[in-house]
């Protein structure tokens, strides 16, 4: 037995002994599942291509948030923001290179909060972003009762392990493999699911409450997945993104050149021009095919965890949260990455199963989440139990999960919260579980941001280091609009210069759901003729953007009415 494994087992045993005397029977366990780079390409989100029966089955017993948005569409900043419930301007992490406890503030994380309430907290796979962003320990020991588990086969992820068309092994983007021929004979997410099931079994025997976080690596690139999942998506059935070209009115600062995709050997062979591409159409179809296959593969691992809960008789005492760190553009706007403020990059699945709340049923053993093997069973059908359409944000997750586990929600953060260890910049969504949504609430906004090193696409536009950030794109999503302002930003003071607007974007969702027609300049013109007094009194950027948005909205209503009047006359 390896020393690290032995240490983890010993710590688990120790914990078991120390908390066993407390009566825990009414405590809800938490199984927190996070996918990597998963947009809402799931059956339960209305995607008709995706085959995701296990997540869809979970959704059929859950509350499904249809419009949940990440605060920054890249792994480390999004995960740190979600798990501390602070926005990137408070974690001060926009890249991969700092640890919030020393760089900004000693913020309490979601698992740490559960740990402080007596839960055994465990991390499997990619939950925190590994490396500097979590002090090379996944924030152990603060967040976790035992050191985090990482699948050993992940070290091969970027190596030459993909059989190319020439029969040789390459470090490819498209990497559907025969698992038994892979080094170690397995894949990271298979290993993580195995480990998570083992931990669930040990928890079932023990009975003390747990918070188990499982971070799957897929559908993040490279698409190193078991080859059989490709057959679910025949190439002839695949189609291109509805808007595969770079929009004409897209400000260059908003565009990101997807450099990580370009680095893969199979993509390099295509000699794609920088920064705009495009990727040849037949290869675009194959990327989409592989992404969807990676989703189905990840879905199967989720199914294994859920059916283990069933078999262990823990479904009725375990809250299940399923989400992702951000989305991924599958060719929309000519992009193949996260790294932007478009919905395809910021919008994520957010599904919460709360036993006794989202589902009240006859809990007979093994019947709530039976495993659905999509490779042998093609027919299935589920309807979401309950949906919430209003905008929500990943910073809401901490107070919501905490509330639904009866641990209460942290108080709201003051404007400057660097010294406050436990508070939230989101809000508890617990009230949404108590009653049905009363139509759309236009007041609810989702707020995201993305940094850039320059006004035009550079090699580091996807992911600039903090010191190189010159422009920050702040973006608001409401029911009706996405509104983004790219403004001057000082990486030393973390201050945005509100009068230094480099570019703007405005998309009207009703006419333009894909966010392809930027109408910002039309409204900028109408804005210029309006009074702006009073705005200087509003210190917070959010308030300022909200105000601007409301003013724009007023302008738009007039315009829409005028358009309707015209149409009426025709
Ligand atoms: C940070 O918070 C943890 C947990 O509350 C505490 O143990 C630690 O001492 C704090 N560190 C600092 C530098 O305040
Ligand atoms: C980060 O890790 C280093 C090395 O393990 C350790 O010395 C340091 O105390 C850790 N930082 C915090 C804030 O815990
Ligand atoms: C996968 O590889 C193993 C070992 O080389 C081989 O026996 C098996 O036939 C392969 N499976 C497929 C579907 O190619
Ligand atoms: C790659 O593209 C550039 C221009 O886009 C062209 O000049 C060059 O010859 C191409 N190289 C190959 C190997 O096709
Ligand atoms: C949960 O189900 C198990 C059997 O599957 C049963 O023993 C237990 O009493 C149930 N707990 C609750 C809280 O309903
Ligand atoms: C619960 O389900 C089992 C098996 O499906 C059934 O035999 C039993 O009658 C059900 N109990 C109730 C209270 O509905
Ligand atoms: C903010 O930007 C404006 C316009 O570019 C500039 O005149 C002003 O000096 C900037 N303020 C700061 C504090 O950098």
């Amino acid at each position: 037995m390896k020393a690290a494994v032995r240490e983890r087992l010993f710590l688990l045993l120790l914990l078991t002994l120390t908390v066993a005397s407390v009566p825990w029977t009414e405590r809800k366990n938490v199984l927190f599942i996070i996918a990597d780079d998963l947009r809402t390409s799931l059956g339960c989100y209305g995607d008709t291509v995706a085959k995701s029966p296990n997540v869809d089955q979970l959704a059929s017993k859950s509350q499904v948030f249809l419009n949940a948005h990440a605060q920054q569409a890249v792994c480390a900043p999004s995960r740190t923001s979600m798990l501390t419930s602070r926005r990137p301007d408070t974690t001060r992490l926009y890249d991969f290179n700092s640890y919030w406890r020393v760089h900004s503030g000693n913020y309490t994380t979601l698992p740490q909060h559960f740990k402080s309430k007596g839960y055994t907290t465990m991390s499997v796979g990619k939950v925190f972003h590994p490396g500097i962003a979590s002090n090379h320990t996944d924030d152990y020991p603060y967040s976790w009762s035992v050191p985090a588990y990482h699948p050993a086969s992940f070290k091969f992820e970027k190596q030459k392990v993909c059989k190319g068309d020439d029969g040789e092994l390459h470090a490819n983007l498209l990497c559907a493999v025969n698992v038994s021929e892979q080094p170690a004979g397995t894949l990271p997410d298979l290993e993580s699911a195995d480990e998570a099931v083992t931990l669930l079994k040990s928890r079932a025997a023990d009975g003390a409450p747990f918070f188990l976080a499982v971070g799957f690596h897929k559908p993040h690139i490279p698409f190193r997945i078991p080859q059989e999942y490709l057959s679910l998506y025949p190439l002839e059935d695949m189609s291109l993104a509805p808007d595969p070209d770079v929009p004409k009115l897209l400000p260059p600062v908003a565009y990101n050149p997807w450099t990580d995709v370009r680095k893969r050997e199979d993509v390099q062979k295509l000699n794609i021009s920088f920064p705009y591409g495009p990727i040849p159409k037949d290869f675009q179809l194959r990327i989409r095919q592989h992404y969807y296959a990676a989703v189905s593969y990840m879905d199967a691992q989720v199914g294994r965890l859920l059916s283990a809960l069933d078999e262990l008789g823990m479904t009725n005492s375990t809250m299940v949260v399923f989400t992702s760190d951000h989305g991924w553009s599958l060719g929309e706007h000519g992009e193949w990455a996260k790294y932007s403020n478009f919905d395809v990059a910021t919008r994520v699945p957010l599904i919460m199963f709360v036993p006794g709340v989202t589902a009240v049923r006859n809990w007979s053993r093994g019947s709530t989440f039976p495993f659905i093997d999509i490779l042998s069973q093609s027919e299935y059908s589920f309807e979401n139990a309950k949906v919430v359409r209003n905008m929500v944000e990943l910073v809401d997750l901490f107070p919501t999960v905490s509330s639904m586990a009866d641990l209460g929600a942290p108080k709201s953060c003051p404007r400057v919260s660097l010294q406050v260890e436990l508070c939230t910049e989101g809000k508890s969504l617990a009230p949404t579980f108590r009653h049905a949504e009363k139509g759309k609430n236009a007041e609810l906004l989702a707020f995201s941001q993305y940094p850039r090193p320059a006004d035009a696409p550079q090699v580091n536009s996807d992911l600039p280091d903090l010191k190189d950030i010159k422009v920050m794109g702040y973006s608001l999503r409401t029911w009706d609009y996405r509104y983004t302002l790219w403004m001057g930003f000082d990486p030393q003071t973390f201050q945005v210069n509100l009068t230094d607007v480099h570019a703007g974007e405005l998309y009207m969702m009703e006419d333009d759901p894909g966010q392809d027609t930027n109408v910002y300049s039309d409204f900028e013109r109408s804005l210029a003729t309006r009074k702006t007094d009073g705005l200087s009194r509003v210190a917070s950027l959010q308030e300022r953007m909200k105000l601007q948005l409301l003013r724009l909205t007023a302008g738009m209503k007039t315009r829409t009415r005028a358009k309707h009047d015209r149409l009426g006359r025709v």
Side-chain angles (χ1 to χ4, degrees):
M1 209 190 292
K2 281 211 235 86
V5 177
R6 209 163 42 227
E7 186 195 358
R8 295 180 62 245
L9 285 177
F10 173 72
L11 280 166
L12 274 175
L13 182 71
L14 197 71
L15 278 154
T16 309
L17 295 175
T18 48
V19 297
S21 57
V22 190
W24 292 117
T25 41
E26 285 132 45
R27 288 287 177 95
K28 276 189 198 91
N29 304 311
V30 180
L31 174 59
F32 178 84
I33 307 172
I34 177 166
D36 202 355
D37 289 16
L38 175 65
R39 56 194 244 157
T40 54
S41 291
L42 296 166
C44 55
Y45 278 80
D47 188 313
T48 53
V49 177
K51 296 188 168 78
S52 50
N54 292 289
V55 174
D56 296 353
Q57 178 170 246
L58 172 67
S60 75
K61 308 274 162 51
S62 300
Q63 180 156 303
V64 179
F65 295 92
L66 290 181
N67 289 299
H69 290 269
Q71 274 49 78
Q72 188 184 327
V74 65
C75 300
S78 175
R79 286 164 192 257
T80 298
S81 164
M82 177 196 321
L83 293 165
T84 61
S85 200
R86 321 270 179 135
R87 297 177 193 279
D89 283 340
T90 309
T91 66
R92 297 181 164 177
L93 179 70
Y94 313 100
D95 56 16
F96 287 20
N97 306 327
S98 62
Y99 181 38
W100 74 92
R101 291 189 193 277
V102 290
H103 178 71
S104 51
N106 192 24
Y107 311 142
T108 301
T109 70
L110 172 63
Q112 182 185 357
H113 184 55
F114 276 79
K115 190 180 172 212
S116 76
K117 302 289 182 185
Y119 279 63
T120 299
T121 60
M122 301 161 287
S123 173
V124 170
K126 183 171 168 185
V127 179
F128 281 100
H129 197 275
I132 300 171
S134 54
N135 204 29
H136 301 282
T137 57
D138 302 79
D139 197 41
Y140 174 80
Y142 304 105
S143 287
W144 310 112
S145 307
V146 288
Y149 168 89
H150 289 284
S153 64
F154 186 72
K155 64 172 172 286
F156 305 113
E157 195 74 356
K158 291 189 174 168
Q159 296 184 7
K160 293 177 187 282
V161 292
C162 322
K163 204 171 268 176
D165 300 333
D166 56 4
E168 303 288 313
L169 294 176
H170 298 280
N172 282 347
L173 175 69
L174 309 182
C175 191
V177 299
N178 179 340
V179 175
S180 61
E181 287 179 347
Q182 284 296 292
T186 185
L187 292 176
D189 287 347
L190 299 175
E191 282 192 274
S192 290
D194 290 345
E195 172 71 9
V197 169
T198 304
L199 289 174
L200 287 175
K201 283 182 183 153
S202 74
R203 293 295 94 199
D206 161 298
F210 65 82
F211 180 107
L212 172 60
V214 184
F216 290 120
H217 286 281
K218 293 302 117 178
H220 193 293
I221 69 160
F223 303 116
R224 187 162 78 112
I225 54 170
Q227 60 195 7
E228 49 274 25
Y229 287 93
L230 270 194
S231 64
L232 298 173
Y233 303 96
L235 211 45
E236 56 272 24
D237 294 352
M238 300 310 295
S239 55
L240 298 177
D243 52 347
D245 303 316
V246 179
K248 284 194 186 63
L249 296 173
L250 183 70
V253 69
Y255 181 83
N256 62 279
W258 31 278
T259 44
D260 45 2
V261 162
R262 291 168 193 268
K263 280 179 197 141
R264 310 301 301 171
E265 285 181 37
D266 46 355
V267 179
Q268 280 192 346
K269 275 196 205 130
L270 301 171
N271 191 26
I272 294 162
S273 103
F274 185 90
Y276 292 109
I279 290 178
K281 289 206 167 66
D282 57 339
F283 202 84
Q284 292 193 22
L285 292 174
R286 292 182 70 200
I287 297 179
R288 290 173 65 91
Q289 174 198 36
H290 280 71
Y291 183 91
Y292 277 106
V295 171
S296 294
Y297 160 54
M298 184 276 306
D299 174 82
Q301 307 323 307
V302 173
R304 290 176 60 204
L305 304 189
L306 298 179
S307 62
L309 280 185
D310 262 7
E311 279 152 28
L312 295 165
M314 298 199 294
T315 305
N316 59 0
S317 56
T318 306
M319 182 192 319
V320 181
V321 182
F322 178 81
T323 191
S324 169
D325 51 0
H326 45 74
W328 210 76
S329 185
L330 277 171
E332 288 88 357
H333 320 110
E335 294 181 315
W336 299 91
K338 47 247 188 181
Y339 312 131
S340 82
N341 276 322
F342 286 119
D343 273 20
V344 286
T346 65
R347 190 172 164 224
V348 290
L350 178 58
I351 299 171
M352 284 185 68
F353 166 77
V354 187
V357 176
T358 64
V360 185
R361 52 160 286 134
N362 177 359
W363 300 102
S364 44
R365 204 168 260 259
S367 62
T368 309
F369 300 122
F371 180 72
I372 303 170
D373 183 2
I374 189 66
L375 296 173
S376 62
Q377 178 188 340
S378 58
E379 293 300 313
Y380 62 89
S381 147
F382 294 106
E383 262 180 46
N384 294 343
K386 184 184 165 198
V387 298
V388 171
R389 290 197 162 80
N390 282 315
M391 298 298 140
V392 305
E393 306 177 288
L394 286 183
V395 283
D396 299 337
L397 201 136
F398 183 157
T400 305
V401 174
S402 180
S403 290
M404 296 312 286
D406 301 321
L407 301 185
K411 62 184 187 307
S412 291
C413 291
R415 178 162 293 165
V416 179
S417 67
L418 296 173
Q419 306 301 327
V420 185
E421 289 189 5
L422 178 63
C423 67
T424 175
E425 290 185 338
K427 60 193 173 303
S428 169
L429 303 172
T432 66
F433 286 83
R434 289 198 277 275
H435 38 71
E437 203 168 45
K438 291 195 203 80
K440 69 178 185 184
N441 181 347
E443 292 294 303
L444 295 174
L445 310 173
F447 198 69
S448 305
Q449 63 191 94
Y450 211 89
R452 295 281 186 241
D455 288 330
Q458 312 289 315
V459 285
N460 63 340
S461 288
D462 289 341
L463 190 55
D465 287 345
L466 176 62
K467 66 174 172 24
D468 298 325
I469 296 174
K470 300 265 176 3
V471 189
M472 187 68 78
Y474 288 95
S475 193
L476 282 183
R477 177 70 156 81
T478 75
W479 266 91
D480 302 311
Y481 319 110
R482 179 171 282 289
Y483 171 51
T484 306
L485 285 180
W486 297 88
M487 293 175 282
F489 182 86
D490 181 342
Q492 273 164 357
T493 60
F494 302 94
Q495 293 298 305
V496 62
N497 184 341
L498 294 175
T499 55
D500 183 21
V501 176
H502 292 226
E505 293 170 82
L506 183 62
Y507 304 101
M508 299 167 74
M509 298 307 298
E510 196 182 325
D511 303 336
D512 181 22
Q515 303 167 355
D516 296 298
T517 307
N518 180 9
V519 296
Y520 176 73
S521 61
D522 296 357
F523 291 101
E524 175 72 343
R525 240 172 279 129
S526 71
L527 195 66
T529 63
R530 281 158 202 271
K531 280 172 68 180
T532 54
D533 337 18
L535 272 185
S536 55
R537 286 201 307 272
V538 183
S540 104
L541 177 66
Q542 283 97 322
E543 286 307 307
R544 155 104 187 203
M545 294 233 351
K546 214 190 253 182
L547 247 168
Q548 281 217 20
L549 188 79
L550 289 174
R551 293 193 308 138
L552 285 170
T553 310
M556 262 177 275
K557 278 196 187 120
T558 321
R559 197 180 112 121
T560 312
R561 208 178 305 123
K563 198 168 102 188
H564 283 165
D565 288 352
R566 267 203 315 280
L567 287 175
R569 278 200 298 275
V570 170

